[in-house]
Amino acid sequence: MANKDTYNADSITVLEGLEAVRKRPGMYIGGVSAQGLNHLVYEIVDNAVDEHLAGYCTHVEVTLEVDGSVTVKDNGRGIPVDRHQKGVSAERVIFTTLHAGGKFDNSSYKTSGGLHGVGSSVVNALSVSMEVEVSKNGYVHYDSYERGVPVTELKNGLLPKKGKTEETGTRIHFMPDKEIFGKSKMNAAAIQSRLHETAYLNPGLEIVFTNHREGEETQVTYYETEGIQAYIKELNQGKTPVHDVVYLKGSSEGIEVEAAFQFVDTFEEKILGYCNNIYTSEGGTHITGFKTRFTQVINSYARELGILKEKDANFTGVDTRCGMTAILAIKHPDPMFEGQTKTKLGSADAAKAANQVTGEQLELYFDKNLETLKLVIGCAEKSAKIRKAEEKTRANLLSKPKFSFESNGKLANCESRDASKCEIFIVEGDSAGGSARNARDRKYQAILPIRGKILNVEKASMDKVLANAEIKTMVQAFGCGFSEGYGNDFDISKLRYDKIVIMTDADVDGAHISTLLLTFFYRFMPELISEGHVYLAMPPLYKVVPKRGEGEYLYDDAALERYRKKHSSNNFTLQRYKGLGEMDADQLWETTLNPETRCMKRVEIEDGRMADMMTEILMGSNVDSRREFIHDHASEAELDV
Ligand code: 1YM
């Protein structure tokens, strides 16, 4: 029940403020799902972590209670409880005023993350009940709220005392409001992962997580005395490290910079950035400063050691970070965040500080650890070698072959140079390719036989894609280059054929080859599809010849079924084609090549984004997602029997 202390002009604006939080919770905690609920926990925990950063707190307990409520307890100084200028306890002001933090700003707060206590009032507004116990000055001070409204009576504006204590600290117990969150449930695993991350970033802070929820009873203590070095080890678990973790630390113009890295034998680059304990998922100036200087240092050592000769170009930034796992954590007194989700550090001085500390400390380290330096440079060399090989294959591939318009290798080209009339048939197998070659109209129809299955471009690395003979021949034959990560070299105006026709057997293998080809076009020459140049030939499955009258091709089982209903089986002979190779040149001409009589389908993409996802799911290397998709959609599939 609200007492008279709460009925002054100030508290009316207070209630309006908290009412705004309840009206638009998403604005404050991102949403009202499990993620929003988790956010409540993080807001409160962040205040305890701030107290750790201020140098007063070493222990935090986070407990998920069986009834869905949460308790967070720390052993810091305890939230200030003395009378604030508004005439009530500072604790009251903190829990009922939006943006209370600013009013209590002091230097110890300047290196802290989070929202400077701002979160406490937001969590309070979104909780059906909240209790606060502050141990300080020999007593346990008590306060409580319902949906953000104080229900504990103050005495002279001060909190009642529950008892005596020698300890100091803050304990907050809150029950998220079902009116706001409905049936959403906190995600315990995500909370644990975040607490572990916090422990890595704050060595010396012990975080005990307890889950009392039914069927989930657990207790874990996160205490990482090795800090971000231990974090790197966790990130690199299961990989083969090239050297021991390197750790750097220093400060410049009031900005503390800490970095740890380790190279592993992969080609990936993984750099996690933090500013004041906040993960900067969009990167920012601190990361840029670190990367820039790292590349410079590696290049200058590589020259000094004679690994890079005078004539050699520098390693690129990407080369020097090939296989790197790194964490960069800075503490900034007044950070500026930008970007779509405000997770990109924008402060210019952070780039300068990260650059400077990285330069100084890296040189100190490498001067003493030559072996590690050589191993790290070795990774850059490996990357540069592969990059150069890729550039070379690429250049070869795109440079016009000398006799580009002659029949080249397997390609049986057509005579006409008029692209608008020319067609190219990509035919599965050499024997079908031979028949097609004999059957075609050589003026306008080119035949390119491909052997077996082409490479799955979703799974292969770039250099393999570029080295694949089938793909090379296709790129050369089409004449319009292809596009991928390095920039767009694709020019559809140079396409030599108006129609590209995929011609495979009407069976599972044929379907697989078609899919592989379509994946390749979709990934590297998407305009071929979007501009309607790609077709699928539809060879017939059957030929029926009646005793009297003309023979007829049937393209699927349904057509055969219909034919059977109309004709008695004694009156016709049925021929089944197992593959293109079984058809003679005349039959092939009639069914698949002759523009007057053939049957083919134009390939269209209804929704590019969806197609993109499907290509990745069905052709990529994530077996689980493919299995899941196939399992979910099996009933929709047309089975090839
Ligand atoms: C379980 C959550 O909130 N601990 C906590 C919060 C504060 C302090 C100590 C604190 C800060 C200062 C002085 C100071 C907060 N203070 C503020 C405000 N744990 C939890 N522990 N004394 C105590 O910064 O000067 C907001 S939170 F506003 F007073 F700064």
Side-chain angles (χ1 to χ4, degrees):
M1 201 186 69
N3 74 356
K4 67 178 174 28
D5 283 319
T6 61
Y7 286 110
N8 53 37
D10 276 340
S11 38
I12 290 169
T13 47
V14 162
L15 290 181
E16 278 173 358
L18 295 190
E19 204 43 52
V21 178
R22 291 180 60 83
K23 267 200 190 123
R24 291 217 177 90
M27 295 254 298
Y28 300 86
I29 52 161
V32 292
S33 58
Q35 221 183 344
L37 275 171
N38 280 16
H39 225 98
L40 301 184
V41 182
Y42 304 154
E43 290 292 349
I44 300 296
V45 172
D46 283 351
N47 290 331
V49 176
D50 283 350
E51 184 65 355
H52 166 76
L53 288 168
Y56 299 98
C57 162
T58 55
H59 187 90
V60 179
E61 287 170 25
V62 180
T63 309
L64 305 189
E65 310 290 357
V66 68
D67 60 359
S69 65
V70 180
T71 311
V72 183
K73 184 171 178 271
D74 71 45
N75 67 348
R77 288 168 292 179
I79 293 177
V81 290
D82 48 342
R83 197 179 289 105
H84 181 253
Q85 58 212 33
K86 286 183 178 172
V88 293
S89 168
E91 178 274 338
R92 206 31 87 89
V93 179
I94 290 165
F95 279 86
T96 52
T97 318
L98 276 175
H99 307 292
K103 300 196 176 70
F104 291 82
D105 238 355
N106 66 19
S107 63
S108 72
Y109 248 83
K110 290 234 159 119
T111 58
S112 67
L115 297 162
H116 314 277
V118 179
S120 319
S121 60
V122 171
V123 179
N124 192 15
L126 300 176
S127 297
V128 66
S129 63
M130 179 182 257
E131 290 174 298
V132 181
E133 283 176 22
V134 177
S135 300
K136 203 176 171 89
N137 310 327
Y139 292 99
V140 181
H141 308 263
Y142 179 83
D143 202 2
S144 61
Y145 303 85
E146 282 171 12
R147 302 201 159 100
V149 179
V151 289
T152 293
E153 206 165 316
L154 302 183
K155 293 196 174 79
N156 265 334
L158 294 179
L159 302 182
K161 298 183 182 98
K162 252 179 94 175
K164 292 194 172 188
T165 182
E166 299 275 281
E167 292 169 6
T168 65
T170 304
R171 179 182 179 276
I172 296 175
H173 175 234
F174 65 95
M175 171 66 97
D177 193 346
K178 283 202 168 52
E179 267 181 26
I180 307 279
F181 297 97
K183 286 194 171 140
S184 299
K185 206 176 148 214
M186 279 170 200
N187 177 347
I191 293 176
Q192 282 185 249
S193 155
R194 160 99 180 220
L195 294 177
H196 200 172
E197 180 188 43
T198 303
Y200 280 129
L201 293 168
N202 299 280
L205 178 62
E206 184 180 51
I207 306 176
V208 181
F209 171 81
T210 310
N211 189 347
H212 286 311
R213 298 196 307 197
E214 230 169 275
E216 298 180 13
E217 290 86 351
T218 42
Q219 181 161 78
V220 200
T221 300
Y222 300 111
Y223 183 48
E224 297 290 351
T225 50
E226 276 189 62
I228 58 173
Q229 297 184 69
Y231 197 176
I232 292 280
K233 285 181 194 159
E234 186 196 292
L235 292 171
N236 282 347
Q237 230 168 46
K239 298 180 185 151
T240 312
V242 173
H243 59 87
D244 286 343
V245 179
V246 178
Y247 176 76
L248 317 169
K249 187 185 170 117
S251 72
S252 159
E253 288 172 42
I255 301 168
E256 281 173 45
V257 180
E258 225 191 334
F261 68 86
Q262 182 179 47
F263 283 79
V264 289
D265 69 345
T266 66
F267 296 101
E268 267 167 70
E269 167 184 331
K270 184 179 200 142
I271 303 181
L272 309 184
Y274 293 87
C275 176
N276 299 351
N277 280 331
I278 300 165
Y279 175 52
T280 46
S281 63
E282 295 174 282
T285 46
H286 54 331
I287 303 277
T288 311
F290 168 76
K291 284 182 176 177
T292 309
R293 193 58 179 267
F294 190 86
T295 306
Q296 283 169 359
V297 170
I298 295 301
N299 273 310
S300 79
Y301 272 114
R303 292 213 179 268
E304 215 173 281
L305 295 171
I307 297 171
L308 283 180
K309 306 277 184 309
E310 214 168 300
K311 63 172 178 24
D312 293 331
N314 270 349
F315 293 124
T316 65
V318 173
D319 287 341
T320 63
R321 297 186 298 273
C322 184
M324 173 192 254
T325 307
I327 292 167
L328 183 73
I330 73 160
K331 299 269 154 57
H332 193 292
D334 185 20
M336 212 176 62
F337 293 98
E338 46 189 51
Q340 289 256 306
T341 52
K342 293 268 172 259
T343 54
K344 180 176 181 182
L345 186 64
S347 320
D349 51 359
K352 214 175 134 198
N355 190 311
Q356 193 182 329
V357 172
T358 304
E360 286 167 10
Q361 299 302 313
L362 209 51
E363 280 172 21
L364 279 178
Y365 183 89
F366 282 147
D367 282 345
K368 283 194 217 130
N369 295 275
L370 212 62
E371 276 318 298
T372 308
L373 171 63
K374 284 182 183 161
L375 290 166
V376 170
I377 295 178
C379 293
E381 277 184 288
K382 204 166 74 182
S383 160
K385 220 179 193 166
I386 292 171
R387 171 173 56 80
K388 283 179 195 153
E390 274 183 15
E391 284 166 2
K392 213 166 138 193
T393 338
R394 213 179 130 67
N396 284 344
L397 196 56
L398 294 176
S399 67
K400 253 192 168 157
K402 261 188 193 155
F403 306 104
S404 62
F405 240 91
E406 302 308 316
S407 289
N408 144 335
K410 299 243 158 193
L411 172 70
N413 214 342
C414 52
E415 289 156 10
S416 170
R417 302 288 187 273
D418 180 354
S420 72
K421 292 188 180 144
C422 292
E423 303 176 341
I424 184 168
F425 289 78
I426 302 171
V427 185
E428 171 189 358
D430 286 340
S431 78
S435 312
R437 198 180 173 127
N438 293 331
R440 68 180 171 143
D441 168 359
R442 37 188 335 125
K443 188 146 194 227
Y444 296 117
Q445 294 181 324
I447 306 290
L448 176 64
I450 56 165
R451 235 169 308 125
K453 296 195 177 167
I454 70 155
L455 186 77
N456 183 352
V457 296
E458 276 301 306
K459 281 188 196 161
S461 70
M462 205 49 224
D463 52 328
K464 278 214 186 108
V465 172
L466 295 178
N468 181 271
E470 257 81 22
I471 287 178
K472 240 181 188 157
T473 318
M474 270 190 279
V475 173
Q476 281 177 356
F478 297 172
C480 42
F482 68 102
S483 61
E484 44 89 21
Y486 293 107
N488 197 341
D489 288 322
F490 185 79
D491 182 358
I492 193 127
S493 70
K494 295 200 176 128
L495 183 62
R496 295 192 186 121
Y497 309 93
D498 180 60
K499 294 189 177 64
I500 295 167
V501 188
I502 300 175
M503 200 163 140
T504 56
D505 288 339
D507 59 12
V508 188
D509 278 347
H512 189 204
I513 294 169
S514 302
T515 317
L516 290 169
L517 284 167
L518 289 175
T519 306
F520 171 66
F521 296 156
Y522 183 70
R523 279 287 179 232
F524 296 98
M525 309 172 165
E527 284 163 65
L528 289 186
I529 301 183
S530 62
E531 306 227 337
H533 293 286
V534 181
Y535 294 79
L536 293 173
M538 307 292 292
L541 284 184
Y542 308 100
K543 183 174 187 179
V544 284
V545 185
K547 284 191 174 142
R548 246 166 275 147
E550 293 269 307
E552 207 178 312
Y553 294 102
L554 302 177
Y555 291 86
D556 55 27
D557 288 308
L560 178 63
E561 205 51 42
R562 281 195 300 276
Y563 192 90
R564 280 204 160 115
K565 281 197 180 129
K566 280 196 204 151
H567 304 84
S568 147
S569 58
N570 302 324
N571 291 336
F572 67 90
T573 55
L574 175 71
Q575 188 182 353
R576 184 192 155 96
Y577 298 115
K578 288 222 185 72
L580 291 164
E582 286 186 2
M583 268 182 253
D584 63 31
D586 283 345
Q587 287 172 330
L588 208 54
W589 166 251
E590 206 181 333
T591 60
T592 1
L593 292 168
N594 182 357
E596 306 291 323
T597 53
R598 71 190 176 193
C599 176
M600 57 191 208
K601 252 202 248 177
R602 180 186 266 168
V603 176
E604 282 168 7
I605 293 181
E606 282 171 26
D607 173 353
R609 206 180 54 83
M610 184 66 186
D612 211 63
M613 202 183 75
M614 291 298 304
T615 322
E616 215 176 286
I617 292 179
L618 294 174
M619 308 305 288
S621 44
N622 188 336
V623 179
D624 285 342
S625 65
R626 177 161 49 246
R627 199 168 288 161
E628 191 181 329
F629 179 87
I630 292 172
H631 181 265
D632 288 351
H633 295 81
S635 61
E636 299 162 20
E638 284 174 39
L639 292 182
D640 193 312
V641 279

